[in-house]
Amino acid sequence: MTANTLEQHILSIVCSVFDAYSAVLFLPSENGEEHHLAASFSLGEGVEQGSMLSSGSLVDWIIRNRQQMLVPNFDQHKHKLGYYREGEEAGIKAFMGCPVPTGGALCVDSKRQYSFTDRDYKLLQLFAELVSRQQASKGRQEMAGDIPRYFAELAVIQELRFRYRRWSQFIQNYVRTMVDATGFDYCAFASVDVPGESYCVECESARLVLENGEPMVLPVGSGIAGWVFSNDQPVINEGLEGAPSTMLFGKLPGMPDFQAIICLPVQINKSTRGVLCLAHTSTRSIDESLRSFVRQAVDHLALFLENLYLRVRLRSLLPQGTVHSQGPRRYDPDTAPVPPVKNP
């Protein structure tokens, strides 16, 4: 049984318990600001499926004030339900509704000439709590459904470490994989210089700031990425609809109006040497499974850089060392180590 059919099944029980004509469930839309008719059950065909919350309706009042409402004598000239088609509210005699704890409203109406009681409302509250738990459970199921996909993407990222030895090839494929895995619009990697006075954007999934593949150097205090370099702390922001755009790298021409961002420090030898940036042009829910995936993906990136650092370090030290060939060597008493002196 899908979530939608389960909600409709709950509403059918609600209608039966209260001997109601219709039961409707309004829930928040994805942006959290609007509400829509998520499910309904009616003995007639007058409920307008898929309708949005009507401003000034009784349901609107319940959601805005987070309070119950009992209307024993419904008057269509004074009140408006907002979920029926034009002229279908004429036969409604009574109405009752309550807020859903997780957002929205559960409402019933009747064509019988009687009033819903306080006892009825307490029972309706129990159904609203049931809907709320079902919504929370659905959210956990959706989150759990992402986990196997994130594990698969982590396997792809791990494979990149073994497939590409060159840094330029690895990081280009890495940022593209991160965009595909997270659904964000943009991914970039920035690294800090040795003095720590500036940083450069080395690679990006879409060409926004780099020209002809040349890194862009910026002051270390520029944008959200610069703040992460300076403070060694991540920045995760889901964004707000209508809020000013996020300055990922500071004020740069041609940059989209990013809203949601994830900027995580990449540490090498316990020092922040890079920042991984993910950005989206609209608000975005960043749940714990997504945060965990990005953190683990950054760990893979840091491990690749650690190995790269060690390889470069070894190459710089080798010319300074003494290389001994395998096999027997001629004994030279002048260069032989002095045996340890035993105490008498």
Side-chain angles (χ1 to χ4, degrees), residues 146-197:
D146 287 333
I147 292 176
R149 180 172 61 84
Y150 288 147
F151 269 109
E153 296 294 346
L154 283 175
V156 172
I157 291 173
Q158 185 177 23
E159 180 65 23
L160 293 177
R161 289 172 34 214
F162 301 104
R163 182 180 302 177
Y164 300 104
R165 303 281 292 178
R166 296 177 57 186
W167 165 248
S168 59
Q169 293 178 327
F170 170 83
I171 192 60
Q172 189 64 59
N173 284 276
Y174 179 91
V175 296
R176 290 173 181 170
T177 302
M178 290 300 293
V179 167
D180 293 339
T182 61
F184 274 68
D185 296 326
Y186 178 75
C187 180
F189 174 77
S191 61
V192 71
D193 62 0
V194 175
E197 298 176 354

Side-chain angles (χ1 to χ4, degrees), residues 126 133 144:
L126 295 178
R133 292 182 182 181

Side-chain angles (χ1 to χ4, degrees), residues 30-48:
E30 292 184 359
N31 58 19
E33 298 179 357
E34 299 178 338
H35 290 76
H36 67 283
L37 182 65
S40 66
F41 184 87
S42 179
L43 300 180
E45 302 292 334
V47 176
E48 189 172 4

Side-chain angles (χ1 to χ4, degrees), residues 37 48 83 94 119 178 181 220 245 301:
L37 182 65
E48 189 172 4
Y83 51 83
R119 180 179 176 277
M178 290 300 293
V220 77
S245 60
L301 176 59

